[in-house]
Amino acid sequence: MNWISEVVRPRIKTLFKRESPENLWIKCPDSGQMVFHKDVEANGFVIPGSDHHLRVTATDRLRLTFDEGKWLDVALPEVAIDPLKFRDEKRYIDRLKDARAKTGAIDAFKVGYGRVQGLAMTLAVQDFHFMGGSLGMAAGEAFIKGAETALEKKTPYVVFAASGGARMQEGILSLMQLPRTTVAVRMLRNAGLPYFVVLTNPTTGGVTASYAMLGDIHIAEPGALIGFAGPRVIEQTIREKLPDGFQRAEYLKDHGMVDMVVHRHEIPATLARLGRLLTKQPAPNGVAKPPLPVAEAV
């Protein structure tokens, strides 16, 4: 190597090197179209053209739903970490650390309190990016805390479900969240408060077997996969070919399992309309209500 290859060339490469974000473009799962990430984000993470609804984080979901993207975070209870000392290919506690570092969240649920189209609401959002939105003790406590907040504030309770099911690393402790969350839903019903479930892609397993199917009204995003076991498992079990679109939101609406399929852009207005109807509140008169004061933070 001479001095030109050792000194000059690396310096020239460094001088003209340009850093590009890894997520600059997004490929549509339906059409294969490459779309500019900022355009998708500005469209509520819905692919322009194909209208494919991408998964969103819990924070983005709250921002897209609450008025002006503002809300008050509800503090969630702490739970025991790795109570069973579970280990498969790696330790459960290490999986939790990786998920928290990747998402910046403590667990799969985030709960917020604010206004949706002027109506005070409590929202709980399940984040599929955190270990597949799996239901464990932390998620169960978060769901119950959201229900208790709705009871305290006397607001409708809305849950955005997105999960692959119960968290196997917590064993029976995870499965016990199914009856616990069901009791929380019963508390809302006894208080006469609406409980809405928005089913997003995917909603499966123990979540579908509990609070995701106990709502007063079930709303689904277009194309969302909703069911207990996956289509492949069902086909292998019954040894029959399933109908086209089986377990998708539109198919389930046609067969009575889902009340309505609503585009992501229309979900806030739909929730506010249903909330006013079931709480017997008058329609808005066009005067926007002020944001909730900081003193009302939970």
Side-chain angles (χ1 to χ4, degrees), residues 30-51:
D30 288 340
S31 64
Q33 173 190 8
M34 298 298 293
V35 188
F36 196 41
H37 181 274
K38 289 187 177 180
D39 293 339
V40 177
E41 184 177 1
N43 199 39
F45 296 95
V46 177
I47 302 290
S50 68
D51 226 25

PDB file of all heavy atoms in Angstrom, residues 30-51:
ATOM      1  N   ASP A  30     -49.010  -4.981   1.258  1.00  0.00           N
ATOM      2  CA  ASP A  30     -50.024  -5.406   0.290  1.00  0.00           C
ATOM      3  C   ASP A  30     -49.557  -5.261  -1.154  1.00  0.00           C
ATOM      4  O   ASP A  30     -49.586  -6.212  -1.935  1.00  0.00           O
ATOM      5  CB  ASP A  30     -51.322  -4.603   0.484  1.00  0.00           C
ATOM      6  CG  ASP A  30     -52.052  -5.005   1.753  1.00  0.00           C
ATOM      7  OD1 ASP A  30     -51.788  -6.118   2.260  1.00  0.00           O
ATOM      8  OD2 ASP A  30     -52.874  -4.210   2.238  1.00  0.00           O
ATOM      9  N   SER A  31     -49.126  -4.055  -1.500  1.00  0.00           N
ATOM     10  CA  SER A  31     -48.807  -3.757  -2.898  1.00  0.00           C
ATOM     11  C   SER A  31     -47.321  -3.832  -3.214  1.00  0.00           C
ATOM     12  O   SER A  31     -46.941  -3.860  -4.386  1.00  0.00           O
ATOM     13  CB  SER A  31     -49.323  -2.360  -3.246  1.00  0.00           C
ATOM     14  OG  SER A  31     -48.652  -1.361  -2.471  1.00  0.00           O
ATOM     15  N   GLY A  32     -46.454  -3.840  -2.201  1.00  0.00           N
ATOM     16  CA  GLY A  32     -45.018  -3.811  -2.441  1.00  0.00           C
ATOM     17  C   GLY A  32     -44.506  -2.425  -2.778  1.00  0.00           C
ATOM     18  O   GLY A  32     -43.324  -2.251  -3.066  1.00  0.00           O
ATOM     19  N   GLN A  33     -45.368  -1.432  -2.743  1.00  0.00           N
ATOM     20  CA  GLN A  33     -45.000  -0.057  -3.071  1.00  0.00           C
ATOM     21  C   GLN A  33     -44.060   0.504  -2.002  1.00  0.00           C
ATOM     22  O   GLN A  33     -44.239   0.279  -0.816  1.00  0.00           O
ATOM     23  CB  GLN A  33     -46.272   0.800  -3.159  1.00  0.00           C
ATOM     24  CG  GLN A  33     -46.036   2.295  -3.320  1.00  0.00           C
ATOM     25  CD  GLN A  33     -47.317   3.100  -3.151  1.00  0.00           C
ATOM     26  OE1 GLN A  33     -48.353   2.546  -2.775  1.00  0.00           O
ATOM     27  NE2 GLN A  33     -47.257   4.384  -3.428  1.00  0.00           N
ATOM     28  N   MET A  34     -43.035   1.234  -2.440  1.00  0.00           N
ATOM     29  CA  MET A  34     -42.124   1.905  -1.528  1.00  0.00           C
ATOM     30  C   MET A  34     -42.645   3.312  -1.272  1.00  0.00           C
ATOM     31  O   MET A  34     -42.863   4.083  -2.207  1.00  0.00           O
ATOM     32  CB  MET A  34     -40.708   1.956  -2.110  1.00  0.00           C
ATOM     33  CG  MET A  34     -40.090   0.582  -2.341  1.00  0.00           C
ATOM     34  SD  MET A  34     -39.900  -0.372  -0.821  1.00  0.00           S
ATOM     35  CE  MET A  34     -38.659   0.589   0.038  1.00  0.00           C
ATOM     36  N   VAL A  35     -42.858   3.623   0.003  1.00  0.00           N
ATOM     37  CA  VAL A  35     -43.460   4.905   0.374  1.00  0.00           C
ATOM     38  C   VAL A  35     -42.527   5.623   1.341  1.00  0.00           C
ATOM     39  O   VAL A  35     -41.914   5.003   2.216  1.00  0.00           O
ATOM     40  CB  VAL A  35     -44.839   4.696   1.030  1.00  0.00           C
ATOM     41  CG1 VAL A  35     -45.547   6.035   1.225  1.00  0.00           C
ATOM     42  CG2 VAL A  35     -45.704   3.771   0.185  1.00  0.00           C
ATOM     43  N   PHE A  36     -42.446   6.926   1.180  1.00  0.00           N
ATOM     44  CA  PHE A  36     -41.610   7.753   2.042  1.00  0.00           C
ATOM     45  C   PHE A  36     -42.154   7.708   3.470  1.00  0.00           C
ATOM     46  O   PHE A  36     -43.347   7.898   3.702  1.00  0.00           O
ATOM     47  CB  PHE A  36     -41.593   9.192   1.524  1.00  0.00           C
ATOM     48  CG  PHE A  36     -40.490  10.040   2.082  1.00  0.00           C
ATOM     49  CD1 PHE A  36     -39.210   9.547   2.249  1.00  0.00           C
ATOM     50  CD2 PHE A  36     -40.732  11.363   2.429  1.00  0.00           C
ATOM     51  CE1 PHE A  36     -38.192  10.329   2.760  1.00  0.00           C
ATOM     52  CE2 PHE A  36     -39.718  12.157   2.934  1.00  0.00           C
ATOM     53  CZ  PHE A  36     -38.451  11.639   3.108  1.00  0.00           C
ATOM     54  N   HIS A  37     -41.280   7.416   4.442  1.00  0.00           N
ATOM     55  CA  HIS A  37     -41.706   7.224   5.824  1.00  0.00           C
ATOM     56  C   HIS A  37     -42.475   8.426   6.371  1.00  0.00           C
ATOM     57  O   HIS A  37     -43.488   8.265   7.074  1.00  0.00           O
ATOM     58  CB  HIS A  37     -40.487   6.940   6.712  1.00  0.00           C
ATOM     59  CG  HIS A  37     -40.827   6.698   8.150  1.00  0.00           C
ATOM     60  ND1 HIS A  37     -40.965   7.717   9.065  1.00  0.00           N
ATOM     61  CD2 HIS A  37     -41.081   5.554   8.832  1.00  0.00           C
ATOM     62  CE1 HIS A  37     -41.286   7.213  10.246  1.00  0.00           C
ATOM     63  NE2 HIS A  37     -41.348   5.913  10.138  1.00  0.00           N
ATOM     64  N   LYS A  38     -42.002   9.631   6.075  1.00  0.00           N
ATOM     65  CA  LYS A  38     -42.672  10.821   6.601  1.00  0.00           C
ATOM     66  C   LYS A  38     -44.087  10.959   6.056  1.00  0.00           C
ATOM     67  O   LYS A  38     -44.982  11.445   6.750  1.00  0.00           O
ATOM     68  CB  LYS A  38     -41.848  12.070   6.278  1.00  0.00           C
ATOM     69  CG  LYS A  38     -40.563  12.178   7.082  1.00  0.00           C
ATOM     70  CD  LYS A  38     -39.871  13.510   6.840  1.00  0.00           C
ATOM     71  CE  LYS A  38     -38.614  13.631   7.709  1.00  0.00           C
ATOM     72  NZ  LYS A  38     -37.912  14.922   7.494  1.00  0.00           N
ATOM     73  N   ASP A  39     -44.314  10.532   4.814  1.00  0.00           N
ATOM     74  CA  ASP A  39     -45.664  10.576   4.252  1.00  0.00           C
ATOM     75  C   ASP A  39     -46.590   9.594   4.969  1.00  0.00           C
ATOM     76  O   ASP A  39     -47.764   9.890   5.213  1.00  0.00           O
ATOM     77  CB  ASP A  39     -45.626  10.248   2.751  1.00  0.00           C
ATOM     78  CG  ASP A  39     -44.921  11.324   1.934  1.00  0.00           C
ATOM     79  OD1 ASP A  39     -44.824  12.465   2.438  1.00  0.00           O
ATOM     80  OD2 ASP A  39     -44.460  11.024   0.820  1.00  0.00           O
ATOM     81  N   VAL A  40     -46.045   8.420   5.305  1.00  0.00           N
ATOM     82  CA  VAL A  40     -46.841   7.423   6.021  1.00  0.00           C
ATOM     83  C   VAL A  40     -47.167   7.911   7.432  1.00  0.00           C
ATOM     84  O   VAL A  40     -48.299   7.791   7.910  1.00  0.00           O
ATOM     85  CB  VAL A  40     -46.096   6.071   6.079  1.00  0.00           C
ATOM     86  CG1 VAL A  40     -46.885   5.047   6.890  1.00  0.00           C
ATOM     87  CG2 VAL A  40     -45.851   5.549   4.677  1.00  0.00           C
ATOM     88  N   GLU A  41     -46.180   8.479   8.091  1.00  0.00           N
ATOM     89  CA  GLU A  41     -46.398   8.994   9.449  1.00  0.00           C
ATOM     90  C   GLU A  41     -47.424  10.119   9.448  1.00  0.00           C
ATOM     91  O   GLU A  41     -48.294  10.186  10.323  1.00  0.00           O
ATOM     92  CB  GLU A  41     -45.076   9.476  10.037  1.00  0.00           C
ATOM     93  CG  GLU A  41     -45.179   9.933  11.478  1.00  0.00           C
ATOM     94  CD  GLU A  41     -43.836  10.327  12.057  1.00  0.00           C
ATOM     95  OE1 GLU A  41     -42.829  10.253  11.325  1.00  0.00           O
ATOM     96  OE2 GLU A  41     -43.786  10.697  13.249  1.00  0.00           O
ATOM     97  N   ALA A  42     -47.338  11.011   8.458  1.00  0.00           N
ATOM     98  CA  ALA A  42     -48.296  12.108   8.373  1.00  0.00           C
ATOM     99  C   ALA A  42     -49.703  11.611   8.087  1.00  0.00           C
ATOM    100  O   ALA A  42     -50.687  12.299   8.398  1.00  0.00           O
ATOM    101  CB  ALA A  42     -47.863  13.094   7.282  1.00  0.00           C
ATOM    102  N   ASN A  43     -49.814  10.421   7.525  1.00  0.00           N
ATOM    103  CA  ASN A  43     -51.125   9.842   7.204  1.00  0.00           C
ATOM    104  C   ASN A  43     -51.600   8.883   8.296  1.00  0.00           C
ATOM    105  O   ASN A  43     -52.435   8.015   8.047  1.00  0.00           O
ATOM    106  CB  ASN A  43     -51.048   9.104   5.861  1.00  0.00           C
ATOM    107  CG  ASN A  43     -52.415   8.877   5.248  1.00  0.00           C
ATOM    108  OD1 ASN A  43     -53.297   9.746   5.309  1.00  0.00           O
ATOM    109  ND2 ASN A  43     -52.632   7.706   4.671  1.00  0.00           N
ATOM    110  N   GLY A  44     -51.080   9.032   9.503  1.00  0.00           N
ATOM    111  CA  GLY A  44     -51.512   8.183  10.607  1.00  0.00           C
ATOM    112  C   GLY A  44     -51.035   6.755  10.487  1.00  0.00           C
ATOM    113  O   GLY A  44     -51.699   5.830  10.962  1.00  0.00           O
ATOM    114  N   PHE A  45     -49.887   6.554   9.831  1.00  0.00           N
ATOM    115  CA  PHE A  45     -49.311   5.219   9.607  1.00  0.00           C
ATOM    116  C   PHE A  45     -50.244   4.325   8.801  1.00  0.00           C
ATOM    117  O   PHE A  45     -50.346   3.122   9.044  1.00  0.00           O
ATOM    118  CB  PHE A  45     -48.925   4.557  10.934  1.00  0.00           C
ATOM    119  CG  PHE A  45     -47.846   5.294  11.673  1.00  0.00           C
ATOM    120  CD1 PHE A  45     -48.165   6.218  12.653  1.00  0.00           C
ATOM    121  CD2 PHE A  45     -46.506   5.090  11.359  1.00  0.00           C
ATOM    122  CE1 PHE A  45     -47.176   6.922  13.323  1.00  0.00           C
ATOM    123  CE2 PHE A  45     -45.506   5.787  12.023  1.00  0.00           C
ATOM    124  CZ  PHE A  45     -45.839   6.711  13.004  1.00  0.00           C
ATOM    125  N   VAL A  46     -50.925   4.956   7.857  1.00  0.00           N
ATOM    126  CA  VAL A  46     -51.728   4.240   6.862  1.00  0.00           C
ATOM    127  C   VAL A  46     -51.077   4.496   5.506  1.00  0.00           C
ATOM    128  O   VAL A  46     -50.831   5.651   5.140  1.00  0.00           O
ATOM    129  CB  VAL A  46     -53.191   4.724   6.844  1.00  0.00           C
ATOM    130  CG1 VAL A  46     -53.983   4.006   5.756  1.00  0.00           C
ATOM    131  CG2 VAL A  46     -53.844   4.503   8.205  1.00  0.00           C
ATOM    132  N   ILE A  47     -50.773   3.427   4.757  1.00  0.00           N
ATOM    133  CA  ILE A  47     -50.086   3.573   3.475  1.00  0.00           C
ATOM    134  C   ILE A  47     -50.995   4.292   2.483  1.00  0.00           C
ATOM    135  O   ILE A  47     -52.100   3.814   2.191  1.00  0.00           O
ATOM    136  CB  ILE A  47     -49.703   2.198   2.898  1.00  0.00           C
ATOM    137  CG1 ILE A  47     -48.805   1.429   3.866  1.00  0.00           C
ATOM    138  CG2 ILE A  47     -49.013   2.359   1.548  1.00  0.00           C
ATOM    139  CD1 ILE A  47     -47.421   1.971   4.019  1.00  0.00           C
ATOM    140  N   PRO A  48     -50.583   5.442   1.960  1.00  0.00           N
ATOM    141  CA  PRO A  48     -51.385   6.111   0.931  1.00  0.00           C
ATOM    142  C   PRO A  48     -51.502   5.219  -0.308  1.00  0.00           C
ATOM    143  O   PRO A  48     -50.551   4.567  -0.712  1.00  0.00           O
ATOM    144  CB  PRO A  48     -50.585   7.382   0.620  1.00  0.00           C
ATOM    145  CG  PRO A  48     -49.687   7.578   1.805  1.00  0.00           C
ATOM    146  CD  PRO A  48     -49.365   6.211   2.304  1.00  0.00           C
ATOM    147  N   GLY A  49     -52.656   5.194  -0.891  1.00  0.00           N
ATOM    148  CA  GLY A  49     -52.865   4.374  -2.086  1.00  0.00           C
ATOM    149  C   GLY A  49     -53.472   3.034  -1.747  1.00  0.00           C
ATOM    150  O   GLY A  49     -54.633   2.756  -2.066  1.00  0.00           O
ATOM    151  N   SER A  50     -52.734   2.167  -1.052  1.00  0.00           N
ATOM    152  CA  SER A  50     -53.262   0.835  -0.720  1.00  0.00           C
ATOM    153  C   SER A  50     -54.147   0.868   0.521  1.00  0.00           C
ATOM    154  O   SER A  50     -54.936  -0.042   0.748  1.00  0.00           O
ATOM    155  CB  SER A  50     -52.104  -0.135  -0.475  1.00  0.00           C
ATOM    156  OG  SER A  50     -51.404   0.199   0.715  1.00  0.00           O
ATOM    157  N   ASP A  51     -54.020   1.909   1.353  1.00  0.00           N
ATOM    158  CA  ASP A  51     -54.802   2.058   2.589  1.00  0.00           C
ATOM    159  C   ASP A  51     -54.485   0.973   3.610  1.00  0.00           C
ATOM    160  O   ASP A  51     -55.309   0.680   4.481  1.00  0.00           O
ATOM    161  CB  ASP A  51     -56.311   2.066   2.285  1.00  0.00           C
ATOM    162  CG  ASP A  51     -57.037   3.178   3.035  1.00  0.00           C
ATOM    163  OD1 ASP A  51     -56.387   4.175   3.366  1.00  0.00           O
ATOM    164  OD2 ASP A  51     -58.247   3.036   3.281  1.00  0.00           O
TER     165      ASP A  51
END
